[in-house]
């Protein structure tokens, strides 16, 4: 006799079939925000409408950090929000450096807002609900084989066929497809292996969405 | 002081031994950590069949006792590696950016299985033994060896296989004191290895939703079998890994040897003689008549076992 007990500790959201949208962050849908100007910034992260994280970031031409990764799921796991800060930045990014916001696990939906501020004013430089600014990155991982459409605002700008893994050869997922889309892109067709990332960089502020057209299963 | 001699024929001795052997019961539970694997064993065994004979030189040969496992449950808890998708880096106009990865398994223990291997394995035990006489004093039960006797006796008493040792009187105990105990190594057949490996494979499959997602994960890891063997650090011959687990990691072979040696040699006697020995029970106003027993000795040849003892004046 044998018995099997699964601890059910799988990252189930990784296999969710929902579309990936730059207006809300979830597992497999990340953004990279480029800080194109020096200054002081306030980063706000909401989960399902509730503020779960706030931090100060400083960007300077002589900053040393080119990329900072933020796992929003881990911030939300902390339960208590460290939402009040004295304006002292945790990090000093280099101008044109990126903060990459991703969600490692769970089914929560997150929104990021970034404000640039000084003694006299505040300016929203990223409100993810509205659109991604020019130069920001939308980073999506396509797990299921099939065909997908990339929509910028409501126009299809590319199709991507995600290939089934070939069990006869080693399968790598660290080979991303990088699409730098001009202001008026012509539709393009691409292929990637299942599990690889698609990175879309826009020439103008817009909302990006990736939808399944046809799944192979 | 007088001396009494009792002769026990070989057939009577064999009957006493068979009773002793039939009463043998062993329980063993252990958990060991092997890297990313936590392995546990819950084992119950008894002794069956076998051959016992007295020998001319006063020793006893016990051969081919079968260790019958009524339970041999192996549990494996596996911390699966963080199989991830995504990742890699891109070169933007400004900087090189590395992308997030998303991992499939997150918990410290992801899969656990329990498989009863009792039907697939058995050992034979053999040993040579001399007779040993021990004096039981409930006030000073004597030092224990590596295997404590109390749990062994308690198990037998609870199963009504053994009368509890007296707490109100002393006894002489005649034991078989085994020399080196030979036990066959655990050597699992292919079917046992297939059973364990299959249970693990099913557990991994059970975690993954069907469809291309499962296909992808299996493609990343090679196959469920590859994953399991990598995590277990098991060779292609999975049965060999299983046998090593029982023989070396659990040390179950040593446990059997120690328990058999303790059971016969220290814990459960072949014969028990009360000291003082009551020769006439109390009756009416008459007190019981008992005689002290001293200097018990055993001799044997291939025909019989002879027990001699000094007896004192009646009290």
């Amino acid at each position: 006799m044998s018995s099997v007990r699964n601890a059910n500790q799988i990252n189930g959201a990784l296999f969710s079939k929902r579309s990936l949208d730059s207006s809300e962050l979830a597992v497999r849908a990340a953004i990279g925000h480029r800080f194109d100007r020096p200054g002081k910034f306030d980063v706000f992260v909401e989960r399902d409408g509730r503020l779960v994280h706030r931090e100060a970031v400083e960007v300077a031409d002589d900053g040393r950090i080119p990329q900072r990764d933020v796992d929003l799921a881990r911030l939300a796991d902390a339960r208590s929000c460290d939402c009040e800060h004295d304006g002292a930045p945790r990090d000093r990014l280099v101008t044109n450096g990126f903060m990459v916001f991703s969600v490692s696990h769970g089914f929560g939906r997150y929104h990021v807002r970034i404000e640039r501020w000084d003694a006299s004013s505040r300016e929203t430089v990223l409100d993810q609900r509205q659109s991604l600014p020019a130069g920001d990155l939308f980073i999506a991982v396509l797990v299921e084989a099939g065909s997908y459409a990339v929509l910028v605002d409501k126009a299809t700008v590319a199709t991507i066929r995600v290939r089934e893994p070939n069990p006869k050869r080693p399968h790598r997922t660290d080979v991303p497809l990088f699409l730098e889309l001009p202001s008026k892109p012509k539709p393009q067709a691409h292929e990637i292996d299942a599990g690889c990332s698609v990175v879309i960089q826009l020439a103008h502020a817009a909302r990006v969405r990736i939808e399944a057209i046809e799944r192979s299963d | 002081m007088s001396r009494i001699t009792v002769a026990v024929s070989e057939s009577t001795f064999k009957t006493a031994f068979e009773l002793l052997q039939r009463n043998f019961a062993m329980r063993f539970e252990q958990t060991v950590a092997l890297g990313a694997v936590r392995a546990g064993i819950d084992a119950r065994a008894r002794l069956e069949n076998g051959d016992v004979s007295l020998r001319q030189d006063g020793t006893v040969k016990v051969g081919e006792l079968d260790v019958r496992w009524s339970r041999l449950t192996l549990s494996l808890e596996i911390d699966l590696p963080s199989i991830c998708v995504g990742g890699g880096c891109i070169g933007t106009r400004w900087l090189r950016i590395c992308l997030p990865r998303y991992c499939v398994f997150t918990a410290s223990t992801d899969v656990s299985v329990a498989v009863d291997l009792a039907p697939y394995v058995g050992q034979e035990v053999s040993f040579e033994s001399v007779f040993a006489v021990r004096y039981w004093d409930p006030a000073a039960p004597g030092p224990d060896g590596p295997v404590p006797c109390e749990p062994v006796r308690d198990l037998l008493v609870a199963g009504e296989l053994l009368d509890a040792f007296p707490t109100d009187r002393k006894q002489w105990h005649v034991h078989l004191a085994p020399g080196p105990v030979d036990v066959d190594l655990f050597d699992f057949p292919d079917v046992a290895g297939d059973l364990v490996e299959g249970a693990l494979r099913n557990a991994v499959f059970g975690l993954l939703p069907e469809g291309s997602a499962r296909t992808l994960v299996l493609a990343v890891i090679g196959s469920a079998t590859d994953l399991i063997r990598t995590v277990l650090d098991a060779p292609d011959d999975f049965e060999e890994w299983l046998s090593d687990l029982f023989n070396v990691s659990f040390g179950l072979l040593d446990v059997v040897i120690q328990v058999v040696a303790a059971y016969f040699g220290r814990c459960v006697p072949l014969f028990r003689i009360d000291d003082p020995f009551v020769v006439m029970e109390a009756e009416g106003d008459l007190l019981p008549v008992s005689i002290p027993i001293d200097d018990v000795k055993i001799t044997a040849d291939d025909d019989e076992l002879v027990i001699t003892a000094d007896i004192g004046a009646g009290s």
Side-chain angles (χ1 to χ4, degrees):
Chain A
M1 288 291 290
S2 69
S3 66
V4 176
R5 178 170 58 85
N6 291 336
N8 195 24
Q9 302 288 4
I10 194 169
N11 190 356
L14 192 51
F15 304 107
S16 162
K17 292 182 187 296
R18 73 185 182 199
S19 298
L20 303 173
D21 194 325
S22 66
S23 69
E24 61 180 17
L25 294 183
V27 170
R28 297 192 295 127
I31 59 170
H33 175 69
R34 181 172 67 94
F35 290 87
D36 58 353
R37 288 177 291 165
K40 293 180 177 177
F41 296 83
D42 234 352
V43 176
F44 300 88
V45 177
E46 289 183 2
R47 175 183 171 164
D48 303 325
R50 182 175 59 88
L51 187 65
V52 293
H53 183 68
R54 180 184 174 190
E55 70 173 86
V57 174
E58 184 178 1
V59 177
D61 291 340
D62 62 349
R64 290 179 175 270
I65 299 173
Q67 174 178 349
R68 177 146 173 266
D69 297 320
V70 183
D71 180 356
L72 305 184
R74 293 201 187 284
L75 295 178
D77 286 347
R79 290 174 183 241
S80 62
C81 176
D82 180 19
C83 295
E84 299 300 325
H85 63 74
D86 58 4
R90 278 178 54 184
D91 292 321
R92 200 154 182 261
L93 264 67
V94 66
T95 306
N96 285 319
F98 281 80
M99 274 183 93
V100 176
F101 299 93
S102 64
V103 180
S104 62
H105 60 274
F107 289 90
R109 298 173 185 217
Y110 298 81
H111 299 94
V112 176
R113 191 174 83 254
I114 301 176
E115 295 176 357
R116 185 172 185 271
W117 62 278
D118 56 30
S120 59
S121 64
R122 273 190 176 266
E123 172 196 2
T124 299
V125 295
L126 167 67
D127 185 348
Q128 186 202 344
R129 279 193 177 88
Q130 304 301 318
S131 62
L132 285 187
D136 277 17
L137 307 174
F138 179 53
I139 306 159
V141 172
L142 301 178
V143 168
E144 295 207 45
S147 294
Y148 294 81
V150 177
L151 294 92
V152 172
D153 291 329
K154 292 184 178 174
T156 299
V157 297
T159 58
I160 299 170
R161 191 173 79 83
V162 176
R163 292 184 291 259
E164 285 271 10
N166 181 348
K168 293 182 179 171
R169 62 179 176 84
H171 189 84
R172 290 183 59 180
T173 66
D174 59 351
V175 187
L177 170 67
F178 183 25
L179 302 177
E180 292 179 272
L181 297 179
S183 294
K184 293 183 178 175
K186 293 178 183 174
Q188 308 167 20
H190 302 275
E191 288 194 6
I192 58 169
D193 283 333
C196 289
S197 298
V198 177
V199 184
I200 295 160
Q201 189 168 43
L202 300 167
H204 64 280
R207 177 179 169 187
V208 184
R209 191 172 166 84
I210 298 181
E211 292 181 347
I213 304 170
E214 177 190 346
R215 294 184 200 277
S216 63
D217 57 348
Chain B
M1 186 78 69
S2 304
R3 194 151 181 83
I4 188 170
T5 300
V6 177
V8 178
S9 70
E10 186 180 31
S11 66
T12 304
F13 163 73
K14 284 184 175 180
T15 302
F17 179 82
E18 284 168 11
L19 187 64
L20 188 66
Q21 168 204 329
R22 227 179 7 245
N23 290 349
F24 178 92
M26 174 183 146
R27 280 185 195 170
F28 178 67
E29 294 179 19
Q30 193 186 24
T31 304
V32 294
L34 307 166
V37 181
R38 193 169 172 78
I41 182 73
D42 179 1
R44 311 278 166 91
R46 58 186 189 275
L47 295 175
E48 289 182 355
N49 304 321
D51 183 50
V52 61
S53 57
L54 292 171
R55 300 204 297 192
Q56 183 62 39
D57 62 359
T59 61
V60 177
K61 180 173 174 52
V62 178
E64 299 176 353
L65 286 174
D66 292 328
V67 179
R68 288 274 187 248
W69 298 98
S70 56
R71 180 186 299 179
L72 194 62
T73 303
L74 169 69
S75 59
L76 295 173
E77 293 181 356
I78 296 183
D79 182 5
L80 293 170
S82 295
I83 295 156
C84 303
V85 297
C89 300
I90 56 165
T92 70
R93 201 176 316 162
W94 304 277
L95 293 165
R96 182 175 166 81
I97 298 296
C98 291
L99 308 174
R101 298 194 321 150
Y102 301 93
C103 299
V104 177
F105 302 118
T106 55
S108 58
T109 299
D110 301 290
V111 166
S112 66
V113 299
V115 181
D116 190 356
L117 297 173
Y120 306 104
V121 70
Q123 279 83 27
E124 283 187 351
V125 175
S126 300
F127 58 85
E128 291 182 8
S129 171
V130 294
F131 289 101
V133 177
R134 304 185 192 284
Y135 194 63
W136 165 259
D137 181 348
D144 254 332
V147 175
C149 284
E150 286 299 325
V152 176
R153 291 188 197 121
D154 290 347
L155 194 64
L156 298 176
V157 171
E160 299 182 346
L161 299 170
L162 179 74
D163 290 336
F165 280 16
T167 55
D168 58 348
R169 62 190 187 279
K170 299 167 186 173
Q171 286 184 329
W172 290 95
H173 289 172
V174 178
H175 287 268
L176 284 178
V181 177
D182 291 330
V183 183
D184 296 338
L185 288 166
F186 280 89
D187 185 12
F188 287 96
D190 291 354
V191 65
D194 293 346
L195 186 71
V196 175
E197 202 171 10
L200 286 170
R201 198 166 46 239
N202 289 340
V204 173
F205 276 147
L207 284 171
L208 301 170
E210 283 187 39
S212 57
R214 177 187 287 182
T215 308
L216 168 62
V217 171
L218 294 179
V220 172
I221 63 180
S223 71
T225 302
D226 289 346
L227 171 70
I228 290 163
R229 293 196 172 180
T230 301
V231 172
L232 296 179
D233 194 19
D236 289 343
D237 184 355
F238 192 74
E239 298 71 50
E240 185 183 322
W241 180 87
L242 204 56
S243 299
D244 282 350
L245 179 67
F246 278 76
N247 290 320
V248 180
S249 302
F250 289 136
L252 193 50
L253 209 62
D254 287 340
V255 172
V256 172
I257 290 170
Q258 289 181 6
V259 171
V260 166
Y263 176 81
F264 289 105
R266 290 186 295 107
C267 299
V268 184
L270 196 57
F271 303 113
R272 294 196 265 178
I273 305 162
D274 282 347
D275 177 33
F277 186 79
V278 177
V279 292
M280 284 183 70
E281 298 288 346
E283 192 176 323
D285 294 336
L286 297 176
L287 293 171
V289 177
S290 56
I291 51 175
I293 306 288
D294 197 10
D295 196 22
V296 176
K297 287 194 168 62
I298 304 286
T299 55
D301 59 23
D302 53 359
D303 280 337
E304 62 181 11
L305 167 69
V306 177
I307 305 171
T308 58
D310 291 340
I311 53 174
S315 60

